[in-house]
Amino acid sequence: MVRAGHRSHGDGPQRFGALLRRLEGVSPKVLTNTLRRLEEKGFVDRTVYPAVPLHVEYALTALGHSVAEPLTQLRDWVENHLDEIQGLHAS
């Protein structure tokens, strides 16, 4: 997923709409499919609250939290070296 804002993965459960707004350029279909795969693999918990309209929240599991920090560091490294990376492809 793309970086959108600087919210920490420790922000707690997030509703689908909030995630979609943070991930500019990601379609609802892509987000839905990605969240399903993350849930299947044990990185995300999905909690459904019986309400009208339906209230669904997504939260990182312990496994999700354990991988979030290394992925954040990787993302930061890529962002800091993007000009160099893109320059390699231009040569």
Side-chain angles (χ1 to χ4, degrees), residues 1-9 19-26 71-80 82:
M1 288 186 201
V2 295
R3 183 177 189 177
H6 293 279
R7 281 185 98 170
S8 165
H9 51 267
L19 290 170
L20 191 60
R21 284 188 295 278
R22 288 180 53 207
L23 300 170
E24 297 173 16
V26 175
L71 288 176
T72 298
Q73 291 174 355
L74 176 60
R75 181 198 64 218
D76 291 344
W77 183 90
V78 169
E79 288 177 349
N80 289 331
L82 196 54

Side-chain angles (χ1 to χ4, degrees), residues 12-14 43-47 57-61 65:
Q14 300 287 308
F43 292 101
V44 171
D45 276 332
R46 179 177 184 262
T47 304
E57 290 184 343
Y58 297 89
L60 291 176
T61 62
H65 279 286

Side-chain angles (χ1 to χ4, degrees), residues 8 10 13 24 29 42 50 54 68 79 83-84 86 90:
S8 165
E24 297 173 16
K29 180 179 179 180
L54 197 62
E79 288 177 349
D83 289 339
E84 296 170 60
Q86 290 174 335

